[in-house]
Amino acid sequence: MNKPMPQADITIVGAGLVGALLGLQLARRLPDHSVQVLEAQPTLTQFNPSAVDPRVVALTEHSVDLLQAVGVWGRLASARVSPYTKMDVWDAEGTGRIQFDADSVEREQLGFIVENSLVVSELQQALSYQPNVQLCMGQRVKQLLLPESDAEDNFGQVQLILESGEKSATQLLLAADGAHSSIRTLAGIDARESDCHQQGIVTTITTERPHGQVARQRFMATGPLALLPLTTGAQGYQCSIVWSADTDCASNIMALDDHAFCEALTRASEGCLGQVTHADARFSFPLWQRHALTYYKPGLALVGDAAHSIHPLAGQGVNLGLKDVGALVGEIERALARDLPLGCMATLRRYQRARRADNRATLGAMAGFQQLFGADAHLLRWLRNEGLRQVDRQPLLKRFLINKAMGVNS
Ligand SMILES: Cc1cc2nc3c(=O)[nH]c(=O)nc-3n(C[C@H](O)[C@H](O)[C@H](O)COP(=O)(O)OP(=O)(O)OC[C@H]3O[C@@H](n4cnc5c(N)ncnc54)[C@H](O)[C@@H]3O)c2cc1C
């Protein structure tokens, strides 16, 4: 599994959730093409069923469909996924509140909370069994040479030199190497970056009262707190939390001992699940939004967090990345059906057109939310409370928003 082949039709850098799914989709839908996946981690991701991974993702229906299409969803569902049937979002500073219910859109659930390591480990396993895929662990690209011209008829190969010194070449290089993408940097693609001046704190908690499969989010002036219901632990008393807080506030929270942290969390959640009785180890990381100025260059496309990373307040990061996968695979298939070569500029341009505006709109909305809920001005507070109340009273608008959040067309 470890020795990279010198040449592959398509090379993907990064076997995280987005890169691994992209590799599987391409390999299955283009069985006559070879796919090489280079991943920096030395070994396959392992899922530990006896612990809860603090990094979770909320998957929409569209993302579940993509996982189903590559035969992985069934394995996840039988291992550990947590459906949520309601969402409850409210403003700590006022009376604004909005609630979404799966019943109102005739669905069994609004989405699923899934541990990142479970999805990635299943996808990587499936990749490693796929005959036309070579999954190369512990490999990083050191140097990159893209075809020189971006003329429509230039279909030269992308040349790669790996840190191990080995050389490789490919017709199409797909960068799925995350928010700090080294391929994006090596290709000289700039990204618009904004520091959210917040840290995200993640951990798994146990509460006094059951969560009832409700995903809760409380917006405070210092940042939002999300309580995501898990099926782990006894009878639904465990949640994964993402607590985004202004940098100073987050440092203070991280410095608390376990008892004081649980007390702080009980207060921050307004005791909506009673006392927080236990918290696992906490992890924190700085929050940035980034958007690549272009998603492609000759022979290269960026996908997932390599192209865009987003504030976790609406839990949309992976879902946007998986939408990129759907669009890019569709465009590549379309081009091949017309006998166009892999990496053809028209294909990459169509991919960018399909995804960049949607991603930009979502990034913009997240920045707007963060500012709106962080604002202390009386008028803005009134506006957001009134706004939430008004939306909550409009069944059609709510239905539209639920479908948007679920990644389905209304
Ligand atoms: C706290 C938190 C909560 C979140 N909650 C949600 C949520 O509820 N819903 C949601 O949709 N999204 C959520 N997200 C966002 C989500 O985790 C990311 O959008 C998603 O992981 C991006 O996937 P990716 O595969 O593009 O990148 P990554 O997951 O970062 O994977 C990149 C892969 O590339 C590899 N790699 C890196 N550099 C190299 C290199 N040079 N060479 C080779 N390989 C390399 C890495 O080892 C890794 O395997 C959350 C994020 C955070 C931080």
Side-chain angles (χ1 to χ4, degrees):
M1 192 167 61
N2 266 325
K3 193 164 168 41
M5 39 188 172
Q7 193 145 337
D9 297 327
I10 302 173
T11 295
I12 299 171
V13 179
L17 215 156
V18 170
L21 180 68
L22 178 62
L24 262 184
Q25 284 256 354
L26 287 170
R28 287 181 164 223
R29 287 162 70 165
L30 312 176
D32 299 334
H33 288 75
S34 55
V35 179
Q36 182 184 56
V37 184
L38 306 174
E39 165 57 47
Q41 292 299 321
T43 54
L44 294 181
T45 298
Q46 298 294 327
F47 171 63
N48 178 0
S50 54
V52 183
D53 182 356
R55 184 176 176 187
V56 300
V57 288
L59 295 176
T60 60
E61 191 171 301
H62 175 263
S63 298
V64 170
D65 287 347
L66 289 173
L67 291 162
Q68 229 151 16
V70 293
V72 164
W73 179 251
R75 294 178 64 84
L76 299 179
S78 60
R80 190 152 82 197
V81 299
S82 307
Y84 59 98
T85 55
K86 292 187 179 136
M87 276 167 67
D88 187 5
V89 179
W90 73 102
D91 184 357
E93 305 288 325
T95 52
R97 184 170 217 123
I98 186 162
Q99 289 170 321
F100 299 109
D101 194 327
D103 286 345
S104 65
V105 282
E106 292 102 34
R107 293 290 208 285
E108 276 181 48
Q109 61 276 314
L110 294 172
F112 294 89
I113 310 295
V114 191
E115 290 153 84
N116 193 71
S117 57
L118 173 60
V119 197
V120 175
S121 71
E122 288 295 344
L123 285 170
Q124 289 184 351
Q125 283 288 344
L127 263 185
S128 67
Y129 294 132
Q130 187 68 32
N132 54 336
V133 170
Q134 192 173 24
L135 174 59
C136 309
M137 303 303 291
Q139 295 286 357
R140 285 175 181 272
V141 176
K142 188 166 95 183
Q143 246 179 295
L144 175 65
L145 195 62
L146 297 175
E148 257 181 26
S149 153
D150 62 357
E152 290 296 324
D153 57 356
N154 184 318
F155 302 118
Q157 291 215 319
V158 179
Q159 310 289 333
L160 304 171
I161 301 179
L162 308 185
E163 281 183 0
S164 58
E166 284 161 289
K167 291 184 178 165
S168 179
T170 187
Q171 291 174 50
L172 178 60
L173 179 67
L174 303 175
D177 52 345
H180 303 284
S181 169
S182 63
I183 298 296
R184 189 181 65 218
T185 308
L186 288 171
I189 297 178
D190 287 332
R192 186 165 294 131
E193 298 192 323
S194 63
D195 185 347
C196 303
H197 301 291
Q198 290 188 337
Q199 297 265 328
I201 300 170
V202 291
T203 184
T204 307
I205 60 165
T206 307
T207 56
E208 191 187 359
R209 292 205 296 265
H211 51 59
Q213 295 191 318
V214 182
R216 295 173 170 83
Q217 178 131 272
R218 179 174 184 250
F219 279 91
M220 294 169 274
T222 50
L225 166 66
L227 302 154
L228 307 172
L230 298 175
T231 47
T232 52
Q235 295 162 28
Y237 288 82
Q238 273 192 328
C239 289
S240 184
I241 67 147
V242 184
W243 191 349
S244 309
D246 293 344
T247 308
D248 288 349
C249 175
S251 306
N252 293 336
I253 294 168
M254 285 302 286
L256 297 173
D257 65 29
D258 286 353
H259 177 74
F261 177 72
C262 289
E263 289 289 317
L265 201 44
T266 303
R267 280 194 301 278
S269 60
E270 286 180 358
C272 62
L273 296 174
Q275 289 284 329
V276 174
T277 53
H278 174 80
D280 285 355
R282 285 159 252 165
F283 300 90
S284 72
F285 47 89
L287 298 179
W288 285 74
Q289 291 216 130
R290 281 186 196 86
H291 203 192
L293 298 188
T294 176
Y295 285 8
Y296 69 96
K297 280 212 164 177
L300 165 73
L302 308 179
V303 203
D305 273 25
H308 45 77
S309 45
I310 185 169
H311 193 291
L313 72 84
Q316 286 302 312
V318 159
N319 296 301
L320 293 181
L322 298 189
K323 278 184 164 180
D324 296 350
V325 170
L328 183 57
V329 173
E331 291 302 338
I332 291 172
E333 272 188 316
R334 189 173 180 275
L336 291 176
R338 295 173 166 203
D339 282 334
L340 292 170
L342 279 169
C344 153
M345 290 294 275
T347 308
L348 303 180
R349 195 179 307 119
R350 286 177 64 90
Y351 158 63
Q352 162 156 297
R353 208 177 297 140
R355 294 299 309 137
R356 196 160 183 277
D358 180 33
N359 291 331
R360 187 174 48 214
T362 310
L363 270 115
M366 293 311 112
F369 267 128
Q370 201 203 334
Q371 278 164 14
L372 183 63
F373 283 94
D376 210 18
H378 184 71
L379 179 64
L380 281 179
R381 254 196 285 163
W382 178 82
L383 266 178
R384 71 182 183 232
N385 277 295
E386 196 49 32
L388 281 176
R389 270 201 304 273
Q390 287 299 335
V391 173
D392 201 42
R393 286 188 204 125
Q394 310 279 336
L396 281 177
L397 179 57
K398 267 177 82 173
R399 197 184 166 89
F400 171 79
L401 291 174
I402 299 174
N403 281 327
K404 266 289 212 208
M406 291 170 69
V408 296
N409 295 321
S410 31

